[in-house]
Amino acid sequence: MEIEQVRQHVKAAWADRVLPSLAEFVAIPAVSPAYDAQWRERGHLRRAVEHVRGWIEANAPAGSTVEVVELDGVPPLLFAEIPATPGASGDGTALLYGHLDKQPPSDGWSEGLGPWQPVLRGDRLYGRGAVDDGYAPYAALTAVTAVRAAGGEHCRVVLVLEAGEESGSPGLPDYLSHLADRLGRVSLVTCLDSGGGDFERLWVTRSLRGILQATLTVAVLEEAVHSGIASGVVPSSFRVLRLLLDRLEDPATGRVLLPELNAPIPPERVADAQRLAELRPTSTLHPLSLVPGGRPAADDEAERILNNTWRPTLSVTGAAGLPDVAEAGAVLRASTSLRLSFRLPPTVDAADAAAALERVTTTDVPFGASATITDLMAQDGWCAPEPPGWLSNALESGVFEAPHQFLGLGGGIPFMQLLGRAYPDAAFLVTGAVGAESNMHVPDEWLNIPFARQVTETVAHVLAAHALQR
């Protein structure tokens, strides 16, 4: 399959068919269910799914089927099947994944831009969902048609496009179980919901951290009391919380102390971090705005990468029971709640981590105070298997001048750990069009169109290489 034929097909398809439809997709306020309690009534998620379904039906090869699958109580899922080409010698299925739900709009977009206002400026398409992850179904199907247009072969392909990824993929295990027979023997999984540090090369995600979130509440009184009466007699609930937090994290170093939340770092991932640090010495600092004089948690870039991708971390992301400072009176409050958010190493069992958190914070509480854990959410991380030789070769097909780069991500994609368990023998390619400057999840989100085209081309070469494997 000749690289220039693939390139010309992808370029034409993006200009003529992809961008007009993707711009219309951006204009749909399809906010993920976790951020829109009325998502069913509003119907925006369903509109987004139907919009993409119409485009796939109009552009898929003959013999393809496209269906909206909907289980009770969870967002719909778009499922498409594309038959193998006659000359494909492989007999497995290639599963291509993306999601159609979006982050909330957020304030602070630049003049002339807005979350539901698709704006094309040069090689950039602005708008919520452009890069996360609305481009994915368009890139996936265009990669398939590029293989055919360039005379290549591909195995049976299925597109799985969910509408709840930004909410932790509720119902996705049920969908996978429901579709298990139709998915078949999956031998290649390609996820287009990731990215990397620049637009010069293909970035391949090798690991994703898990997550553990919970609300820890400490109560010391049945009701609040004037601080002049109670202070020195009853410890404040915040003081007890501080003591409990010290059981979880070393306040000086940030090291998470619970063994169940730690895991050894494979030497290969340490080497990946060192190579990435040499390539981009300040990659972890680039998207951050430290205050004047502020310093990062580690001076060495490789250590910062490992902190962000393999070591457990704790962030306090919310609080309750604390009045605004302008309204805070002389009161010893009855209770304080903190929302704890742990990022877990890719190989840690999240259920074991959750059990350890509850045990350590609710047992032998200082001063006999009441400590409870509520709203607990735990998800495992994911670590990719070593890529087979055919996949490594396909990634160096000449689409990018610079060689591809492995990296780990500090966040998670629930779909990957589900698929990793379901298809342990499959090859995995987790990549995407997100770059360090893409503004994913924040104002001024944008898609780098030439880079997205190159990602599309690479997926086409991977599909063609996969078709030759048995």
Side-chain angles (χ1 to χ4, degrees), residues 34-393:
Y35 309 102
D36 183 3
Q38 295 181 296
W39 64 270
R40 294 180 187 85
E41 294 81 2
R42 298 189 202 281
H44 297 314
L45 280 172
R46 185 65 189 231
R47 280 179 56 208
V49 170
E50 292 290 351
H51 175 78
V52 175
R53 176 172 76 164
W55 186 86
I56 293 176
E57 287 177 336
N59 292 278
S64 301
T65 61
V66 189
E67 177 185 352
V68 176
V69 185
E70 194 159 11
L71 300 180
D72 290 341
V74 292
L77 179 143
L78 187 57
F79 184 77
E81 299 179 72
I82 303 166
T85 54
S89 59
D91 58 359
T93 292
L95 187 158
L96 277 66
Y97 166 84
H99 68 86
L100 305 178
D101 58 316
K102 307 179 184 182
Q103 280 282 312
S106 73
D107 298 324
W109 290 68
S110 298
E111 184 177 356
L113 302 178
W116 319 127
Q117 179 183 345
V119 175
L120 186 63
R121 291 181 179 174
D123 289 331
R124 299 184 177 194
L125 176 63
Y126 287 89
R128 179 66 80 226
V131 71
D132 183 26
D133 187 34
Y135 85 97
Y138 298 95
L141 184 59
T142 300
V144 174
T145 58
V147 171
R148 293 180 172 228
E153 308 288 346
H154 65 75
C155 293
R156 175 176 176 265
V157 173
V158 297
L159 307 184
V160 176
L161 306 166
E162 67 160 316
E165 191 274 340
E166 302 290 3
S167 301
S169 297
L172 189 57
D174 293 332
Y175 276 118
L176 293 179
S177 176
H178 179 73
L179 295 168
D181 291 341
R182 295 175 63 183
L183 288 171
R185 188 180 70 83
V186 175
S187 53
L188 169 65
V189 175
T190 299
C191 170
L192 295 175
D193 189 27
S194 190
D198 59 33
F199 301 120
E200 305 301 320
R201 72 202 76 236
L202 186 78
W203 295 86
V204 180
T205 300
R206 301 287 286 136
S207 63
L208 300 159
R209 283 195 296 183
I211 189 167
L212 171 62
Q213 294 181 344
T215 300
L216 173 60
T217 299
V218 167
V220 295
L221 295 168
E222 295 291 338
E223 58 184 21
V225 179
H226 190 298
S227 61
I229 296 173
S231 63
V233 178
V234 177
S236 75
S237 56
F238 193 85
R239 177 185 172 193
V240 177
L241 266 172
R242 283 193 302 166
L243 292 171
L244 293 178
L245 290 178
D246 286 350
R247 296 179 179 181
L248 304 175
E249 176 194 52
D250 183 329
T253 66
R255 182 172 65 90
V256 174
L257 303 176
L258 306 188
E260 295 87 347
L261 275 66
N262 284 271
I265 307 175
E268 299 84 358
R269 304 292 78 83
V270 175
D272 286 345
Q274 291 170 341
R275 283 192 293 268
L276 181 56
E278 292 174 2
L279 179 67
R280 293 175 56 82
T282 59
S283 63
T284 57
L285 301 178
H286 178 74
L288 309 178
S289 300
L290 293 172
V291 298
R295 293 181 290 114
D299 294 329
D300 181 74
E301 175 66 5
E303 288 302 301
R304 290 196 294 263
I305 291 170
L306 293 172
N307 285 348
N308 184 247
T309 58
W310 270 93
R311 295 189 179 109
T313 56
L314 169 61
S315 301
V316 176
T317 59
L322 294 165
D324 187 275
V325 293
E327 301 173 359
V331 175
L332 195 149
R333 296 170 296 100
S335 65
T336 307
S337 298
L338 296 180
R339 185 64 174 169
L340 309 181
S341 178
F342 291 91
R343 292 291 179 172
L344 305 175
T347 54
V348 158
D349 186 299
D352 289 347
L357 171 65
E358 188 157 17
R359 182 185 71 251
V360 168
T361 55
T362 62
T363 302
D364 191 24
V365 181
F367 303 102
S370 167
T372 56
I373 288 286
T374 57
D375 301 325
L376 191 146
M377 187 271 283
Q379 290 180 348
D380 289 333
W382 174 78
C383 192
E386 288 301 311
W390 67 263
L391 177 55
S392 296
N393 291 337

Side-chain angles (χ1 to χ4, degrees), residues 396-423:
E396 294 300 332
S397 56
V399 174
F400 292 91
E401 292 185 8
H404 67 276
Q405 174 71 40
F406 292 124
L407 80 164
L409 293 186
I413 304 174
F415 188 76
M416 297 318 302
Q417 54 96 358
L418 290 173
L419 265 292
R421 289 200 300 263
Y423 304 106

